[in-house]
Amino acid sequence: MTPELQEQEERLQFDRFDHDDAWELGNRLVGLARERGHAVTVDIRRGDHQLFHYALPGTSPDNDDWIERKIRVVRRFGHSSYLVGQTYRDRGTTFDEQSRLDPARYAAHGGCFPIIVRGTGPVGTVTVSGLPQLDDHRLVVEALGLFLEANEAENPAGS
């Protein structure tokens, strides 16, 4: 699974990322969650600046805590929170056991993905909390793919 997760980070990159992109991506995520009846919280940041945050009915402040813990993992390691956790699982251990980081502050559980700008690197995060970790991760990846495909269709390379 780790190569698939690495491929996602290579593929799901932006040419640029601004406030309007955060709004559109956030609304896409909220829309997907609503369609499926998911109770999730969605958070999008550029650096430390929170550009989008929405909690669907059925969520709680615990989801905000999970978001903060997942974001810390992505910022520290530069990779999706699920990939970081999977890297430890591939070694036959867990992030909590081996990272030497406080599990009250760091959660290598799926749902937080780096916003990567080509030629720049990670500039922010998009995070979902509320589903089992693989489902959180898959929802973010799906929304990123749909968002980037739609933008590519509107602005084809070379036009």
Side-chain angles (χ1 to χ4, degrees):
M1 175 174 257
T2 302
E4 176 186 344
L5 299 172
Q6 292 168 330
E7 182 277 330
Q8 290 169 350
E9 290 184 13
E10 292 169 14
R11 177 175 45 89
L12 299 172
Q13 296 189 14
F14 294 77
D15 292 324
R16 62 171 185 76
F17 189 82
D18 62 20
H19 293 73
D20 291 332
D21 295 320
W23 174 255
E24 289 180 38
L25 177 58
N27 279 295
R28 184 174 296 272
L29 267 164
V30 169
L32 288 171
R34 278 187 195 279
E35 287 172 14
R36 296 167 188 175
H38 295 323
V40 297
T41 300
V42 176
D43 184 274
I44 302 175
R45 300 182 188 190
R46 181 167 179 156
D48 291 328
H49 192 181
Q50 186 178 60
L51 303 179
F52 186 95
H53 189 87
Y54 188 82
L56 282 115
T59 60
S60 75
D62 288 344
N63 297 106
D64 294 326
D65 181 58
W66 276 99
I67 284 169
E68 294 299 331
R69 293 167 57 216
K70 293 175 187 183
I71 287 171
R72 285 186 192 104
V73 167
V74 173
R75 287 183 174 166
R76 184 171 186 122
F77 294 91
H79 295 287
S80 77
S81 54
Y82 194 72
L83 173 57
V84 173
Q86 187 62 45
T87 300
Y88 283 87
R89 288 186 292 276
D90 288 348
R91 294 186 216 145
T93 186
T94 68
F95 178 83
D96 289 348
E97 290 172 358
Q98 294 294 312
S99 70
R100 298 184 182 160
L101 295 171
D102 181 358
R105 295 189 41 82
Y106 292 86
H109 291 256
C112 187
F113 201 91
I115 294 171
I116 303 167
V117 174
R118 284 184 189 87
T120 301
V123 299
T125 54
V126 53
T127 313
V128 168
S129 173
L131 303 171
Q133 66 170 326
L134 182 56
D135 294 334
D136 275 348
H137 176 82
R138 287 180 173 157
L139 184 61
V140 170
V141 166
E142 179 183 0
L144 282 167
L146 292 169
F147 176 85
L148 291 166
E149 286 173 18
N151 280 0
E152 177 61 29
E154 290 175 17
N155 306 302
S159 63

